[in-house]
Amino acid sequence: MPRDAHGHLTAGRISPQRPVPREIERPEYVGRAEPDEHGHGDTYTAEEVERIRTAGRIASQAIDAVGAAIRPGVTTDELDRIGHEFVVSHGAYPSTLGYRGYPKSLCSSLNEVICHGIPDDTVLQEGDLVNIDITAYKDGMHGDTNRTFVVGEGSQEVRDLVDRTRTALERGIKAVAPGRQVNVIGRAIEAYAKRFGYGVVRDYTGHGVGRTFHSGLIIPHYDAPHYDTVIEEGMVFTIEPMLTLGGIEADIWSDDWTVATRDKSWTAQFEHTLVVTERGAELLTVS
């Protein structure tokens, strides 16, 4: 994603796919056009949750490593190299690599890119926003997480957006409880975001994760009463609100992955994988 004359992002050059050691277990979808993601359920035993936690910890620590390298002058492809090498060095597979043909081991979404930005030869600049989304697969389970970073100092408006998006995720997590419907999560997030006039992206949601990268379970980030799935103890899913400084209408680039705000407004996102407990939620993607 280099930039045009107005400073808006454009598609860049993508480097060859990075290799994964042969001994590392691959998800079932690698080498296939479509994943098998239905009928696997969204509740997990204690032993399965621990395997998700292991994968989630690797993903979170990989973001730690990538975050330490974020500075002006670094390319998003270099960030992908760091994330890739960390994940595979811990015996895990980077879940995005080969998922529905995705060519890289993480998603790097800058500025007006909402999600699914492909790492390439884009050079980070002072004041940019960059979201790093990494999922690790190990022992048959995926752990999915992302964080948004400010490159250098950034403006107060940008720093506020990042801080408040993180808080919006925390509000959503606090709303989780057995017996409630999943729409309470989005209600909590949207009510908070509206206080600052932020747009809340609707087309991309949280999801069930664990045995599959994305199950059919949808976790909305806005007030959506029609999403009435009842939260159960032992459920595992992500919450990952995407807030914008402007509108929520989006366009998908010709690469069929990169999603950017139509009005070019900047956007931030944070994500955790969690398991529902009798008292609420426990995070599975912490370092």
Side-chain angles (χ1 to χ4, degrees):
M1 291 179 284
R3 305 169 200 244
D4 63 19
H6 302 286
H8 299 142
L9 298 163
T10 58
R13 182 182 61 82
I14 300 172
S15 65
Q17 182 171 308
R18 304 184 195 281
V20 177
R22 186 173 301 175
E23 63 270 19
I24 291 178
E25 178 188 5
R26 271 72 168 158
E28 54 80 24
Y29 52 75
V30 174
R32 299 174 51 212
E34 297 289 335
D36 175 18
E37 294 190 318
H38 298 287
H40 297 279
D42 292 299
T43 58
Y44 292 82
T45 66
E47 184 275 333
E48 290 171 328
V49 168
E50 289 309 306
R51 283 193 278 147
I52 299 171
R53 190 193 310 277
T54 297
R57 182 178 297 114
I58 292 170
S60 181
Q61 291 174 341
I63 293 180
D64 293 341
V66 172
I70 290 175
R71 62 180 62 88
V74 174
T75 66
T76 54
D77 188 64
E78 173 65 7
L79 300 181
D80 181 76
R81 181 193 66 79
I82 293 168
H84 176 92
E85 291 181 358
F86 186 95
V87 171
V88 301
S89 72
H90 286 75
Y93 187 91
S95 301
T96 58
L97 187 63
Y99 178 77
R100 298 182 183 270
Y102 188 83
K104 289 295 178 180
S105 298
L106 58 78
C107 296
S108 56
S109 302
L110 272 69
N111 302 346
E112 68 264 26
V113 175
I114 296 171
C115 58
H116 305 159
I118 301 174
D120 58 18
D121 60 348
T122 298
V123 177
L124 300 182
Q125 297 180 1
E126 177 73 26
D128 280 344
L129 280 184
V130 58
N131 178 270
I132 302 299
D133 194 332
I134 296 180
T135 306
Y137 178 79
K138 187 174 177 65
D139 294 331
M141 297 292 176
H142 300 269
D144 187 4
T145 185
N146 74 55
R147 294 178 228 154
T148 298
F149 298 85
V150 181
V151 182
E153 293 299 319
S155 68
Q156 187 63 53
E157 181 182 46
V158 164
R159 294 197 304 270
D160 285 345
L161 175 66
V162 171
D163 289 344
R164 291 166 180 167
T165 304
R166 185 188 299 107
T167 300
L169 170 60
E170 293 167 356
R171 296 286 183 104
I173 292 168
K174 287 179 180 178
V176 174
R180 293 180 173 178
Q181 296 180 346
V182 295
N183 56 57
V184 303
I185 299 169
R187 189 176 308 138
I189 290 169
E190 187 172 45
Y192 176 74
K194 279 185 172 180
R195 290 168 49 185
F196 310 102
Y198 296 149
V200 182
V201 173
R202 297 186 172 207
D203 291 341
Y204 300 90
T205 68
H207 54 88
V209 66
R211 303 177 189 97
T212 61
F213 193 171
H214 300 85
S215 80
L217 177 63
I218 293 175
I219 307 298
H221 302 126
Y222 63 101
D223 190 0
H226 53 287
Y227 289 113
D228 57 2
T229 301
V230 175
I231 299 170
E232 300 176 16
E233 188 174 347
M235 266 187 173
V236 175
F237 52 81
T238 73
I239 304 176
E240 46 188 297
M242 292 148 266
L243 306 186
T244 78
L245 290 172
I248 61 173
E249 292 76 18
D251 295 311
I252 301 177
W253 290 8
S254 59
D255 60 22
D256 291 329
W257 282 105
T258 307
V259 181
T261 56
R262 188 165 298 167
D263 63 5
K264 307 299 184 184
S265 61
W266 285 21
T267 176
Q269 181 185 17
F270 283 85
E271 173 187 24
H272 271 302
T273 296
L274 58 85
V275 60
V276 180
T277 68
E278 62 179 357
R279 296 184 177 180
E282 181 183 354
L283 302 184
L284 301 178
T285 42
V286 293
S287 300

